């Protein structure tokens, strides 16, 4: 048995001294403290932890029975032995009735003190056993109540409030609060509390630094991440900053527990007891376990709140889409969709009870939709265009993209996709198709209505030139040739545009000679030669007709802007480059103008149409090549075409 503190009360000081000496000498486990009156005994009892009270019966002012009754009002379980020399059966009966643990008459000889010691040991042993059982039940009840509160709490604030309420309502605790460290000020700011408080937290400052307000249990627990306790507030020098406020409210000891989970500090739990030395090893173990449970619960709710916030954000983002978003299970049933889907599809009872995706489409579209779902499940993704039925039975054209949805282990969860209203796109496509038809009709009209009179002019011009010679006829011939080129360019723009047909091997030198024969007049002094004989023919893959048209336009551009005596060179850019160039010895193009030359209608020549280079750029881009204009090595303009697919 551990050391026993005995409060011996008797109005005879000499007797007290003798009794205390005999008990302590013969029984080393005893610590005897003495008082000569009931009033003094009650004061000592309030200030000290006592295991057993031994009291005389007949004392002035307050006898032993009256003292017993006063003790039982505040300390119902503390062992109380009435030890008197003037007692009788009536006194013994009254003592037992008042709640005395035992009754013993004084006597001569040391054997009476041995008997008293035995009675004290038995009473304290029973008392401590009872206290341990009650303490165990208290601990179980407290832990269970806190765990239930943690399970039922729906928010972190509720967890903190309920924990403080439950702990403060459990004897011997008076007050509990939970705070969080402010990283800016290093103060521990309360966020929940319960119990005997009376503005305690408003009147004190608690920090986690090395200042005097950070030396108590709370600051130590935060800094060292461990439970810290002040077992005797009255005498603890590290509790000086808050001692008066604490004692005024009956706090005699205090413990602080860091609320930490997986390295993250979520706060601090501080608990105050009405008893000194209340936080023994087992009590600290209990609080540490409660702290771990609270931290885990706070962490779980924090993660849950973050997931809820993230899900809310995702839902809001999906609902803000103008497109439809949907998730299907492997059977093709709708598991999730955004508000846009509901807005378009409306509220259909059949669809609500049987959310099969195909039921949202007209009967003539359902087979195509079902096939698309099957294809996405098989291949991983697909796209399908189908009319979606609105709530009032209208049809809206949509383009749906569908992809497989799997979990982190690769197991099939279903399909996910979007649907886009293509009503406007279809409308634009129809309008473009109409415009294309109108343009082609216009081109046919131009070709017929302009070429017929142009052919008449050319024919008459030939006849006139046979009969006479004049420079005016040369001007007319040039004008008719220009009109023919304009008609050809317009027809290309309206009919062929950027469409590229099958691509075949093309020798650049051969194609250049053919294009030059068309673009240049044999009677002119213009010359073209290829600078690639040393490397042999350069073979590329291209649409033959379009490539021919590209070369013709570049050659005509050189003749129009550099003059009829221009020299044009066609060559390979370098031995390791998939590209060729066309350059001339004309005046060139200023650097600030080079980005403009490919724009429709741009021309620096009075005879130019401003269409040829734009056509050249379209042909190049349609093949996936690049074209740029720079200064030639012979002083004029140089066009470089790169990115070609060459053939070895």
């Amino acid at each position: 048995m551990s050391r026993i503190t005995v409060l011996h009360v008797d109005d005879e000081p000499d007797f007290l001294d003798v009794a205390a000496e005999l008990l302590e000498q013969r029984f080393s486990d005893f610590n005897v403290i003495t008082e000569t009156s009931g009033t003094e005994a009650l004061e000592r009892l309030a200030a000290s932890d006592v295991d057993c009270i031994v009291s005389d019966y007949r004392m002035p002012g307050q006898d032993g029975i009256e003292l017993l009754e006063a003790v039982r009002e505040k300390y119902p379980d503390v062992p109380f032995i009435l030890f008197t020399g003037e007692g009788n059966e009536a006194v013994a009966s009254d003592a037992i009735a008042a709640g005395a643990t035992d009754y013993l008459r004084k006597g001569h000889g040391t054997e009476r003190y041995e008997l008293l010691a035995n009675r004290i040991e038995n009473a304290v042993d029973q008392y401590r056993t009872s206290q341990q059982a009650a303490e165990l039940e208290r601990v179980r009840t407290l832990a269970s109540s806190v765990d239930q509160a943690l399970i039922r709490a729906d928010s972190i604030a509720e967890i903190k409030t309920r924990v403080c309420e439950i702990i403060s309502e459990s004897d011997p605790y008076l007050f509990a609060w939970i705070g969080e460290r402010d990283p800016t000020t290093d103060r521990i700011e309360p966020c929940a509390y319960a119990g005997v408080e009376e503005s305690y937290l408003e009147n004190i400052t608690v920090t986690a630094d090395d200042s005097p307000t950070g030396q108590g249990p709370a600051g130590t627990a935060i800094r060292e991440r461990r439970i810290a306790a002040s077992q005797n507030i009255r005498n603890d020098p590290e509790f000086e900053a808050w001692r008066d406020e604490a004692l005024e409210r009956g706090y005699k000891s205090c413990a602080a527990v860091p609320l930490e989970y997986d390295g993250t500090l979520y706060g601090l739990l501080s608990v105050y007891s009405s008893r000194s030395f209340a936080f023994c090893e087992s009590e600290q173990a209990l609080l540490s376990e409660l702290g771990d449970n609270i931290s885990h619960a706070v962490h779980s709710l924090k993660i849950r709140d973050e997931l809820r916030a993230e899900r809310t954000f995702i839902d809001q983002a999906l609902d803000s889409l103008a497109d439809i978003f949907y998730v299907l299970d492997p059977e093709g049933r709708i598991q999730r969709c955004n508000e846009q889907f509901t807005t378009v599809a409306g509220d259909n009872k059949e669809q609500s009870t049987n959310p099969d995706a195909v039921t949202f489409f007209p009967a003539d579209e359902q087979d195509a939709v079902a096939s698309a779902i099957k294809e996405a499940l098989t291949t991983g993704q697909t796209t399908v265009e189908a009319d979606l039925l609105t709530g009032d039975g209208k049809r809206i054209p949509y383009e749906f993209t569908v992809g497989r949805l799997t979990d982190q282990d690769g197991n099939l969860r279903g399909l996910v996709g979007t649907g886009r209203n293509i009503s406007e796109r279809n409308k634009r496509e129809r309008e473009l198709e109409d415009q294309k038809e109108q343009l082609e009709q216009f081109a046919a009209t131009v070709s017929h209505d302009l070429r017929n009179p142009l052919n008449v002019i050319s024919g008459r011009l030939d006849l006139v030139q046979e009969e006479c010679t004049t420079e005016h006829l040369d001007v007319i011939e040039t004008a008719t040739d220009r009109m023919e080129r304009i008609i050809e360019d317009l027809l290309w723009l309206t009919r062929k545009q950027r469409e590229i047909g099958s691509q075949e091997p093309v020798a650049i030198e051969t194609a250049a000679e053919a294009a030059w024969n068309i673009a240049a007049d044999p009677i002119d002094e213009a010359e073209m030669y290829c600078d690639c004989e040393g490397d042999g023919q350069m073979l590329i893959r291209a649409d033959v007709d379009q490539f021919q048209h590209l070369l013709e336009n570049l050659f005509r551009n050189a003749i129009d802007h550099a003059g009829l005596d221009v020299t044009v060179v066609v060559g390979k850019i370098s031995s390791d480059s998939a590209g060729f160039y066309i350059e001339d010895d004309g005046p060139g193009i200023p650097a600030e103008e080079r980005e403009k030359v490919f724009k429709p209608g741009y021309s620096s020549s009075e005879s130019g149409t401003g269409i040829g280079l734009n056509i050249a750029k379209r042909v190049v881009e349609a093949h996936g090549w690049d074209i740029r204009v720079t200064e030639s090595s012979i002083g004029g303009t140089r066009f470089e075409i790169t990115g070609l697919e060459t053939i070895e």
Side-chain angles (χ1 to χ4, degrees), residues 107-370:
H108 299 288
T110 59
E111 67 275 1
R112 299 303 293 176
Y113 293 99
E114 292 179 358
L115 179 59
L116 175 62
N118 289 334
R119 297 286 181 90
I120 291 173
E121 286 181 336
N122 290 336
V124 171
D125 184 49
Q126 293 179 11
Y127 170 66
R128 288 180 174 176
T129 300
S130 175
Q131 287 294 100
Q132 289 175 356
E135 186 70 9
L136 181 60
E137 182 61 26
R138 179 187 71 83
V139 169
R140 288 175 177 172
T141 300
L142 177 60
S144 176
S145 298
V146 170
D147 288 344
Q148 289 297 317
L150 297 180
I151 293 173
R152 295 171 182 170
D154 193 48
S155 67
I156 294 176
E158 183 180 353
I159 282 180
K160 295 178 178 180
T161 299
R162 285 296 297 136
V163 165
C164 292
E165 290 174 348
I166 293 170
I167 292 177
S168 65
E169 292 169 359
S170 176
D171 186 66
Y173 303 140
L174 293 178
F175 177 55
W177 63 279
I178 291 178
E180 297 178 0
R181 175 180 173 272
D182 186 329
T184 304
T185 64
D186 232 3
R187 293 185 59 165
I188 304 175
E189 302 290 352
C191 54
Y193 62 88
V196 181
E197 198 271 340
E198 298 175 359
S199 302
Y200 176 70
L201 296 176
E202 296 179 7
N203 297 336
I204 67 170
T205 298
V206 184
T207 63
D209 55 19
D210 293 327
S211 67
T213 56
Q215 299 307 305
T220 302
I222 289 289
R223 288 194 307 275
E224 302 181 11
R225 302 290 180 94
R226 64 173 180 84
I227 187 170
S230 176
Q231 298 284 22
N232 190 336
I233 289 176
R234 185 179 296 277
N235 299 324
D236 187 352
E238 294 183 346
F239 211 88
E240 182 179 357
W242 317 279
R243 179 180 294 118
D244 293 341
E245 296 288 346
L247 294 177
E248 183 179 334
R249 293 162 179 80
Y251 309 156
K252 295 185 178 180
S253 59
C254 170
V257 186
L259 303 180
E260 181 183 21
Y261 181 82
D262 197 22
T264 300
L265 186 67
Y266 289 105
L268 171 89
L269 169 64
S270 292
V271 181
Y272 297 76
S273 175
S274 61
R275 296 201 307 251
S276 301
F277 301 96
F279 300 99
C280 60
E281 184 177 341
S282 61
E283 196 75 7
Q284 291 191 29
L286 166 66
L287 290 179
S288 294
E289 182 178 350
L290 290 180
D292 290 342
N293 293 345
I294 295 167
S295 303
H296 184 271
V298 169
H299 174 77
S300 298
L301 283 183
K302 184 174 183 294
I303 296 300
R304 186 206 65 180
D305 292 344
E306 289 175 351
L307 290 175
R308 281 182 176 176
E310 183 177 354
R311 180 171 181 176
T312 299
F313 173 78
I314 292 174
D315 287 343
Q316 290 175 345
L318 293 176
D319 287 339
S320 67
L321 292 176
D323 293 343
I324 285 173
F325 171 82
Y326 59 90
V327 176
L328 310 181
D329 66 13
E331 284 70 42
R333 294 188 296 266
I334 294 180
Q335 299 299 299
R336 183 179 179 183
C337 60
N338 63 351
E339 286 185 358
Q340 182 64 14
F341 185 94
T342 305
T343 300
V344 175
D347 184 15
N348 186 301
K349 292 183 178 180
E350 178 184 353
Q351 294 167 350
S352 299
T353 56
N354 180 24
D356 191 332
V358 299
T359 64
F360 290 88
F361 298 87
D364 59 322
E365 300 272 30
Q366 292 184 2
D367 288 344
V369 173

Side-chain angles (χ1 to χ4, degrees), residues 562-613:
L564 299 179
D565 59 348
V566 66
T567 298
V568 178
V569 180
V570 179
K572 190 175 182 180
I573 292 178
S574 64
S575 59
D576 58 350
S577 174
F580 70 97
Y581 67 86
I582 296 177
E583 64 181 11
D584 60 52
D585 60 353
I589 301 174
E592 64 273 11
E593 299 290 321
R594 291 172 186 169
E595 292 298 323
K596 303 177 183 178
V597 298
F598 296 110
K599 294 182 179 180
Y602 178 87
S603 178
S604 61
S605 170
E606 294 181 359
S607 61
T609 64
I611 298 176
L613 289 183

